[in-house]
Amino acid sequence: MKKLYIVAVIIAAMQLYSCQKLDIAPISKFTEANYWTSTDKAELVLNMAYNQMYNAGIMWRDEFLGDNMVHTYGTSDPNSIRRGEATAALNLFASEWKDAYGGIKTCLVFLANVDRIPGMPEELKNRMIDEIRFIRAYIYFRLVNYYGDIPFFTTEISLDDAYKVKRTPKSEVLSFIHSELDDIMNGGHLPKTENLVPDEKGRITIGAACAFQARAYLYENNYQKVKEYAGHLINEQDKYGMYQLFEYPAKKEESYFRLFTPEYEYNNEVILDITYVPDLKTWSNMSQMAPISKRAEISADNPTQELVDCYMTMNGLPVKGADKDPAYNENDPYVNRDPRLSATVVYDNYKWLNKDGSVDTIRTAIGTKTDDSYKSPVDRQTKTGYYVRKYYDWTMSSNNQSGLNIIMFRYADVLLMYAEACNELGKIAQQEWNATIRPIRERAGFKVAAALDYPAAKSQAELRDEIRNERRVELALEGLRWYDIKRWKTGQQVLNGAIHGFRFAGSAGATDGGYIRVNQYTFNNNRDYLWSVPLDQMDLNQNLKPNNPGY
């Protein structure tokens, strides 16, 4: 798959859409009449659709919509949304709409023209068609989760129709997505992950379709269906693919950390990821999130104290609340913590492992006088006392261009979906706990009974909180937190009020216990679970009105 990501891919595919249908096709340009002549050209368009389905920029942007990360320098559209300042004219509302429908256009063009290709093997064509159908379904899934009711069509529409099309109810679009995914899984055209040859790594598989189906039902809170499809991936691996939690063979305790390093791309936990290629197709978000001493240009997007506080101690106890670990020391807060914290977030006195095995110490506390030390709310260093470690690519170029793949679906997420579904359908049982939460925590490095053993004495509501927190820490900074907040309807609880950083910046103890306030979020239950339909689109097409509430 990596071999397909070359500049010519994008150029060739984009040329296809710049042409008009003519009775006589000009030989100097690509048109529908002369483009579809080979399988290679079809692969260029398919690859363009992969690029439009998902990318690192979307993942990080979605992460900024939750409470795990906070934008702390300059302006950003996700920050405007979280501060309650967004209007229908916000650029992000328009750009996401445009990009998503551009992806839909690519898929529809492919489906309308792939039969033109002479001599294309039927098995290959059917597989590519199902990949495109998956991509189209995923883009529509993005759209309904952002905007709710949306314009929906499965064949190309004319420009005149585009000015008249109405919004289709979200429920109808989701019904189409579920039907498509079932049909794709039953069609038998997609391979299992273990049947992919090396050049096909990153291609859509039957396992990816099943994981997508589970997530789509999860976002509807249809827990019976979540359990069914997540269960397929757990219990029917001969049909859906062989997946398991990744373990680093040299040091098991580094497994979670190594899962997000370039040396272990396409490992057996990854169900589907987006392929990047050093020097050819890259992303550069780490330049605003990593420690300054690790070549970041500025620290503009930082992990929050709210995220850090979610990680248990190694005694299997929380650091906040009535059941907090009595051994936890708020003045020395990063010792004896869940190892996933250090694999995700950089904090004061952090031991940074380099690719060559050497270790650097990162100091972030005020007065430690390093490139990474907190200085003030307006300096280029961290504003929360934290930097990002997860997804840091230690092979990236000197200008922070990373070729590290971005994971869309992985097996730990499947286990967490299954655990949540079991608990929502009736308190999770010991057998279900031992098949899901326990192995995730064992892989993380926990060894004590308080973390691993089934908590039989806890109520369903208490287990709900525990499973939700486990989902947060396991999947932190993977672009999923906002969608969990959205489906749990906890926006008013976690996105309405002050967002904090660490205590070691000289803040007055009388204010929030000394934890620095870095931003103030505002959440309106009647408005903020959906985005506005772009203002310019409503100006062009009055049938898109009325807008979503609050805009």
Side-chain angles (χ1 to χ4, degrees):
M1 192 65 172
K2 284 185 179 277
K3 290 183 178 179
L4 295 178
Y5 287 105
I6 54 177
V7 176
V9 170
I10 307 301
I11 296 174
M14 289 183 66
Q15 285 177 322
L16 174 66
Y17 308 122
S18 64
C19 308
Q20 301 289 329
K21 287 185 178 179
L22 300 173
D23 292 335
I24 301 176
I27 61 174
S28 61
K29 294 182 179 181
F30 287 130
T31 69
E32 291 178 357
N34 70 14
Y35 179 84
W36 298 90
T37 58
S38 70
T39 298
D40 287 345
K41 289 183 177 179
E43 286 183 342
L44 294 180
V45 180
L46 173 61
N47 188 60
M48 182 177 182
Y50 268 96
N51 280 300
Q52 294 170 300
M53 174 174 62
Y54 195 68
N55 57 53
I58 293 173
M59 185 194 76
W60 289 115
R61 183 196 69 201
D62 287 350
E63 191 63 38
F64 303 152
L65 292 169
D67 55 347
N68 289 340
M69 296 275 287
V70 59
H71 185 77
T72 58
Y73 195 95
T75 60
S76 80
D77 285 353
N79 188 46
S80 295
I81 294 171
R82 286 288 67 90
R83 290 176 60 85
E85 299 168 348
T87 70
L90 191 74
N91 181 67
L92 176 55
F93 297 156
S95 62
E96 172 58 32
W97 183 283
K98 177 183 177 182
D99 291 345
Y101 278 107
I104 296 294
K105 170 72 173 178
T106 303
C107 295
L108 298 182
V109 167
F110 182 96
L111 292 171
N113 292 282
V114 68
D115 285 335
R116 294 173 178 263
I117 297 175
M120 187 176 185
E122 199 70 14
E123 181 179 352
L124 175 60
K125 180 171 72 173
N126 288 334
R127 176 182 173 181
M128 293 173 71
I129 287 172
D130 281 356
E131 289 177 76
I132 279 284
R133 292 170 69 195
F134 177 105
I135 293 169
R136 177 179 62 179
Y138 193 86
I139 297 174
Y140 272 129
F141 185 61
R142 274 172 46 198
L143 281 164
V144 295
N145 277 288
Y146 291 135
Y147 302 99
D149 302 344
I150 57 167
F152 172 70
F153 39 88
T154 57
T155 58
E156 290 188 85
I157 61 175
S158 68
L159 185 60
D160 287 341
D161 287 339
Y163 290 132
K164 302 173 185 176
V165 66
K166 297 180 179 180
R167 298 166 70 184
T168 298
K170 176 181 178 179
S171 60
E172 291 184 25
V173 182
L174 288 170
S175 292
F176 168 80
I177 291 169
H178 293 311
S179 177
E180 281 284 273
L181 292 172
D182 276 340
D183 194 56
I184 289 169
M185 282 185 278
N186 293 331
H189 304 306
L190 294 180
K192 294 186 293 185
T193 188
E194 58 266 31
N195 294 334
L196 294 173
V197 300
D199 283 352
E200 294 178 334
K201 296 294 185 181
R203 296 280 292 272
I204 293 164
T205 62
I206 186 173
C210 193
F212 179 12
Q213 187 75 293
R215 183 178 291 175
Y217 279 120
L218 184 76
Y219 287 9
E220 295 177 84
N221 296 320
N222 186 336
Y223 289 108
Q224 192 62 55
K225 287 292 188 181
V226 174
K227 185 175 181 180
E228 175 186 341
Y229 284 94
H232 289 326
L233 290 164
I234 296 169
N235 301 315
E236 301 176 57
Q237 296 201 350
D238 57 330
K239 179 177 179 180
Y240 293 96
M242 304 296 293
Y243 302 104
Q244 63 185 56
L245 296 177
F246 168 73
E247 289 191 5
Y248 178 50
K251 286 185 179 180
K252 185 177 179 180
E253 62 270 23
E254 291 185 11
S255 296
Y256 184 83
F257 168 74
R258 298 280 179 173
L259 175 61
F260 304 96
T261 58
E263 291 79 12
Y264 293 95
E265 292 177 334
Y266 307 119
N267 63 72
N268 53 6
E269 183 170 338
V270 174
I271 299 174
L272 181 64
D273 56 6
I274 295 299
T275 298
Y276 284 85
V277 186
D279 301 323
L280 292 175
K281 183 191 175 195
T282 59
W283 56 275
S284 61
N285 302 71
M286 228 19 110
S287 64
Q288 298 189 123
M289 301 186 296
I292 302 299
S293 64
K294 298 302 175 182
R295 302 201 313 264
E297 297 168 3
I298 195 169
S299 187
D301 299 297
N302 303 130
T304 64
Q305 186 66 43
E306 283 74 15
L307 171 62
V308 171
D309 285 344
C310 289
Y311 292 86
M312 296 189 298
T313 68
M314 290 301 288
N315 297 323
L317 297 171
V319 301
K320 298 286 184 181
D323 298 328
K324 67 176 288 188
D325 189 340
Y328 171 70
N329 181 359
E330 198 171 18
N331 294 316
D332 193 9
Y334 311 119
V335 299
N336 200 39
R337 297 290 291 276
D338 181 340
R340 290 173 293 186
L341 173 59
S342 62
T344 305
V345 176
V346 177
Y347 43 78
D348 186 46
N349 210 33
Y350 181 90
K351 306 307 177 186
W352 180 282
L353 179 64
N354 295 304
K355 187 175 186 296
D356 63 6
S358 62
V359 175
D360 297 327
T361 299
I362 306 289
R363 298 304 309 270
T364 69
I366 193 168
T368 49
K369 298 180 180 180
T370 70
D371 289 342
D372 302 307
S373 302
Y374 177 94
K375 289 183 171 56
S376 79
V378 296
D379 279 285
R380 64 192 291 256
Q381 289 76 14
T382 176
K383 319 305 181 300
T384 66
Y386 302 113
Y387 297 97
V388 171
R389 180 66 201 244
K390 194 175 196 176
Y391 273 121
Y392 184 89
D393 178 5
W394 47 27
T395 67
M396 75 173 76
S397 67
S398 58
N399 60 346
N400 298 301
Q401 297 298 314
S402 171
L404 181 60
N405 291 353
I406 294 295
I407 300 172
M408 289 181 67
F409 298 95
R410 60 184 179 96
Y411 190 60
D413 188 7
V414 171
L415 296 181
L416 288 163
M417 287 192 283
Y418 191 82
E420 182 177 338
C422 289
N423 194 61
E424 295 301 326
L425 293 170
K427 182 180 169 181
I428 188 172
Q430 181 173 347
Q431 181 180 359
E432 296 160 342
W433 174 277
N434 288 343
T436 56
I437 303 300
R438 184 183 181 108
I440 287 173
R441 289 183 174 177
E442 285 178 332
R443 192 267 296 273
F446 286 100
K447 294 180 173 58
V448 298
L452 301 179
D453 289 355
Y454 174 63
K458 289 190 175 182
S459 67
Q460 182 188 29
E462 290 171 324
L463 284 166
R464 176 181 296 120
D465 290 342
E466 187 156 349
I467 292 168
R468 287 183 177 184
N469 191 74
E470 189 67 24
R471 182 173 178 84
R472 182 176 187 180
V473 299
E474 173 69 24
L475 302 175
L477 311 193
E478 295 182 46
L480 300 176
R481 172 65 175 167
W482 158 243
Y483 299 99
D484 288 339
I485 293 170
K486 180 181 172 73
R487 64 190 178 84
W488 293 332
K489 294 293 184 285
T490 56
Q492 191 74 36
Q493 175 184 339
V494 302
L495 294 174
N496 198 55
I499 299 296
H500 297 91
F502 68 166
R503 295 177 72 235
F504 306 113
S507 299
T511 304
D512 298 344
Y515 291 93
I516 56 175
R517 290 187 178 187
V518 294
N519 213 322
Q520 187 74 24
Y521 283 176
T522 299
F523 195 89
N524 183 336
N525 275 332
N526 297 319
R527 178 192 65 203
D528 292 330
Y529 286 117
L530 290 175
W531 288 1
S532 168
V533 175
L535 181 62
D536 62 342
Q537 294 298 314
M538 291 187 292
D539 288 342
L540 292 169
N541 179 4
Q542 296 296 310
N543 288 329
L544 297 178
K545 296 180 178 180
N547 200 358
N548 290 327
Y551 289 103

